Amino acid sequence: MSELIPPKDRKEWIEMVEGKHKMEKFVLQLQIDRARKKLEAGDINQDQAIDELYRYFEKYPKGFKSDLVEVFKSW
């Protein structure tokens, strides 16, 4: 299912954990906010924050496809 998710090396993942994208799905926005807060607190680094979000997308790739397309446009 990972073909449904953009590669982790895309700059948009960094933008996402920095809070630069607003997600349509509330539960997804909560996950991003949680990862961002952990990053800002120094509990995790940027790569770990991206890994956390990526794993979440892996669990529910089809449910968040519209948000992924909005952020990444294509991959």
Side-chain angles (χ1 to χ4, degrees):
M1 289 296 238
S2 62
E3 67 276 358
L4 299 176
I5 306 168
K8 287 190 230 181
D9 61 353
R10 297 274 304 257
K11 68 176 176 51
E12 292 91 339
W13 287 107
I14 295 169
E15 294 170 355
M16 208 181 304
V17 298
E18 290 176 345
K20 294 181 180 175
H21 295 282
K22 180 80 170 145
M23 299 294 117
E24 179 182 308
K25 309 277 187 316
F26 181 70
V27 68
L28 179 55
Q29 187 64 50
L30 288 175
Q31 291 298 320
I32 290 171
D33 290 346
R34 194 182 92 188
R36 184 180 46 78
K37 287 177 184 175
K38 288 166 77 175
L39 177 64
E40 289 173 355
D43 296 334
I44 58 176
N45 64 34
Q46 191 175 70
D47 289 337
Q48 291 168 320
I50 291 169
D51 287 342
E52 219 174 82
L53 290 180
Y54 196 87
R55 282 192 302 273
Y56 191 74
F57 277 104
E58 283 182 313
K59 285 182 183 179
Y60 312 103
K62 292 181 181 178
F64 300 123
K65 179 114 173 125
S66 62
D67 284 299
L68 287 173
V69 170
E70 180 65 29
V71 172
F72 292 90
K73 308 302 182 216
S74 66
W75 61 92

